[in-house]
Amino acid sequence: MKLEISVHEQACRGCQMCVDVCPTKVFEFDEEKRLCVVKHEDDCIACLSCAYICPSGAITHTGYHVVKNFYRDLAFCNKMEKFI
Amino acid sequence: MSSVPVNIEWLSDCSGCHIAIIDLHEKLLAVLNEISIQRCPVLTDVKDYPHATLGLISGAIRSEHDRHAAEEMRKSCDVVIAWGSCAVYGGIAGAGNVHTCADIFDSVYVNNKTTITTACPHSDKISNLEASVTPLDNAIDVDLYLPGCPPHSAFVFDALLAILEGRSPRTATGESVCARCKRRMEKTEVDRIKKNSEGVPDREQCLLSQGYLCMGSVTLDRCMAPCPQNGVTCTGCAGATMQVLAEPNRDIRTEIAERMSRLTKIPREAIVREIEKTSKTHYSYTMSSPMIGEKPTFLIQKWTDEERNDYEQDHNY
Ligand code: SF4
Ligand code: SF4
Ligand code: SF4
Ligand code: SF4
Ligand code: SF4
């Protein structure tokens, strides 16, 4: 299972918050395009800090070990799949 | 394909969701070819609830009548969609939860500044209010949720078409209004929160960067971001993002403050306090939903009381 990070470019607002919060410096910022770029995917520890801080929800990770979240609104989680 | 029977009902709401169907424009013709609208208070004179494949319900459960109508819809429809933020989260009607029913009757009927009535109508004339406003799924089981105030017609069309063609509709993603907004989010030296009425915002830069309290980053993308694109802050009418809804320790005000304090020089605490002071605005669409209203950190009654005390002190009441 290989961890992959994708950034939805149209959704990226160029705020650089992901660059700032990543503990392992996975992202770099492309000043010209005003977009963050995944540069060191192998260093990612899947803490998901970048995905949570991203104002657009533009960052998604696949292929990581999902740790069960301690705090969850179970009632909502049961409905989540029904949101269209 | 023979036409699919549809029932449409409204509960406590503003009727905007019904009007939004008209925004389908020519696409409406494509839909109308395939459905037959039976009960629909704005269009037809059908008073009962004939059997239907699809039921669209807008509005919150505010009165005994709302609950009854929702139950009748559930009995008559195979698939029920909670349609619009009022049905999904309680919406604007839900803001009534910071007042008592007695206060609401008083403001509407007895001391209404724009009417001459001075007494409440008898309860055989109007339906009794329930003790609090709740979303549709408090009264009945809901099959699909389509938030938005109203949901953009593109999403309505997409959902209707999918159901008519027997596909599952596309489910909401984790993206927020910011994902559709074209503004540049940049770090700035702005050091105080601006009122929405203050100055003219720059056209290109993110409103948070400029000191305006925009809710785009905590709001589900269900609208194509018309407000920030036209220079007005997002007020969160499509409800909170999936991450705020799913996790009790994440909240609208702290998530905005987290981001805004990184973009500007405004301290995180000051932003949190300002949103608490204006909580009736910033939580107006979602406060009656248990997903927001029952968060341990959501203390709207306390915040509004504090705000009133501050106001009264400042104005020597
Ligand atoms: S998940 Fe954590 S480590 Fe991986 S890119 Fe995001 S912030 Fe960096
Ligand atoms: S946090 Fe999101 S919006 Fe900001 S630079 Fe990173 S991907 Fe782009
Ligand atoms: S969701 Fe918005 S547009 Fe729809 S009925 Fe409620 S207030 Fe009106
Ligand atoms: S916070 Fe508001 S103005 Fe800034 S990018 Fe998001 S939606 Fe646009
Ligand atoms: S931008 Fe915000 S306030 Fe405007 S329609 Fe979309 S969700 Fe509602």
Side-chain angles (χ1 to χ4, degrees):
Chain A
M1 193 164 66
K2 171 141 173 25
L3 184 138
E4 277 175 28
I5 309 171
S6 68
V7 177
H8 181 194
E9 286 197 6
Q10 277 88 41
C12 174
R13 296 277 70 79
C15 67
Q16 304 194 43
M17 288 189 230
C18 54
V19 182
D20 296 346
V21 299
C22 177
T24 55
K25 302 278 166 271
V26 166
F27 298 99
E28 274 175 23
F29 194 68
D30 181 333
E31 292 286 350
E32 208 171 301
K33 288 202 199 147
R34 284 196 42 78
L35 284 176
C36 76
V37 190
V38 181
K39 267 281 151 73
H40 310 285
E41 197 169 59
D42 291 345
D43 293 343
C44 175
I45 56 168
C47 65
L48 302 189
S49 309
C50 56
Y52 275 115
I53 195 91
C54 176
S56 301
I59 309 175
T60 28
H61 297 69
T62 51
Y64 64 95
H65 175 69
V66 181
V67 181
K68 245 198 178 156
N69 219 319
F70 199 58
Y71 294 112
R72 277 265 147 174
D73 182 333
L74 289 177
F76 173 68
C77 290
N78 291 332
K79 296 179 199 168
M80 206 170 194
E81 290 292 303
K82 298 183 181 174
F83 270 63
I84 56 174
Chain B
M1 185 161 54
S2 63
S3 70
V4 173
V6 177
N7 282 353
I8 307 180
E9 178 65 299
W10 56 17
L11 312 177
S12 286
D13 69 14
C14 84
S15 78
C17 283
H18 283 69
I19 306 305
I21 295 191
I22 313 294
D23 289 340
L24 288 171
H25 300 293
E26 299 91 77
K27 284 182 175 171
L28 183 61
L29 298 172
V31 175
L32 283 179
N33 275 337
E34 303 195 14
I35 63 174
S36 64
I37 298 178
Q38 306 179 131
R39 183 188 171 89
C40 177
V42 283
L43 283 178
T44 64
D45 199 24
V46 177
K47 301 276 193 257
D48 58 351
Y49 295 86
H51 174 261
T53 309
L54 189 61
L56 290 170
I57 308 181
S58 70
I61 308 290
R62 163 81 276 188
S63 64
E64 288 167 5
H65 163 266
D66 294 334
R67 188 173 290 271
H68 169 76
E71 284 165 358
E72 291 299 322
M73 281 292 280
R74 182 71 268 185
K75 275 187 241 162
S76 65
C77 306
D78 300 340
V79 176
V80 167
I81 304 185
W83 175 35
S85 294
C86 289
V88 178
Y89 312 103
I92 45 166
N97 279 353
V98 287
H99 304 280
T100 62
C101 293
D103 280 347
I104 292 171
F105 270 108
D106 183 74
S107 309
V108 174
Y109 296 110
V110 184
N111 287 308
N112 188 330
K113 292 190 174 63
T114 59
T115 66
I116 53 168
T117 53
T118 50
C120 288
H122 196 266
S123 64
D124 61 3
K125 298 263 190 323
I126 54 164
S127 172
N128 282 322
L129 297 189
E130 295 201 342
S132 63
V133 184
T134 46
L136 180 62
D137 62 6
N138 175 268
I140 58 168
D141 283 337
V142 168
D143 299 301
L144 293 166
Y145 296 83
L146 183 55
C149 182
H152 190 283
S153 56
F155 292 98
V156 179
F157 184 70
D158 199 63
L160 288 180
L161 210 63
I163 293 166
L164 293 174
E165 291 173 356
R167 289 182 285 124
S168 336
R170 235 187 359 213
T171 52
T173 67
E175 291 195 350
S176 69
V177 171
C178 294
R180 298 268 188 172
C181 173
K182 292 284 166 279
R183 290 173 178 267
R184 283 190 326 268
M185 263 194 177
E186 303 175 310
K187 292 181 183 157
T188 62
E189 299 298 312
V190 171
D191 59 3
R192 67 179 185 87
I193 298 170
K194 290 189 197 132
K195 289 205 169 62
N196 285 351
S197 54
E198 216 178 309
V200 179
D202 179 273
R203 284 169 179 275
E204 311 267 309
Q205 195 179 50
C206 164
L207 296 164
L208 285 181
S209 304
Q210 301 183 54
Y212 297 101
L213 279 176
C214 181
M215 293 180 69
S217 72
V218 290
T219 305
L220 203 60
D221 160 36
R222 274 293 165 272
C223 62
M224 320 277 185
C227 305
Q229 297 280 60
N230 289 293
V232 183
T233 54
C234 168
T235 52
C237 76
T241 48
M242 295 285 165
Q243 71 186 41
V244 173
L245 293 176
E247 298 187 27
N249 56 339
R250 291 187 182 271
D251 190 87
I252 288 174
R253 68 193 195 291
T254 47
E255 295 240 327
I256 296 176
E258 186 69 41
R259 296 182 183 119
M260 195 178 189
S261 61
R262 285 170 184 273
L263 290 170
T264 62
K265 296 274 178 285
I266 311 169
R268 186 180 179 282
E269 268 316 299
I271 303 165
V272 170
R273 252 202 329 278
E274 181 61 27
I275 300 178
E276 288 175 0
K277 276 168 70 177
T278 50
S279 49
K280 259 172 90 178
T281 305
H282 287 101
Y283 288 87
S284 55
Y285 297 95
T286 48
M287 65 171 83
S288 64
S289 154
M291 279 115 64
I292 297 288
E294 286 174 14
K295 279 185 193 286
T297 52
F298 184 71
L299 304 169
I300 192 157
Q301 209 70 55
K302 173 172 168 274
W303 304 332
T304 47
D305 287 349
E306 279 170 5
E307 172 59 8
R308 192 177 42 249
N309 292 343
D310 285 354
Y311 181 87
E312 288 175 359
Q313 233 163 38
D314 291 350
H315 294 77
N316 301 318
Y317 268 84

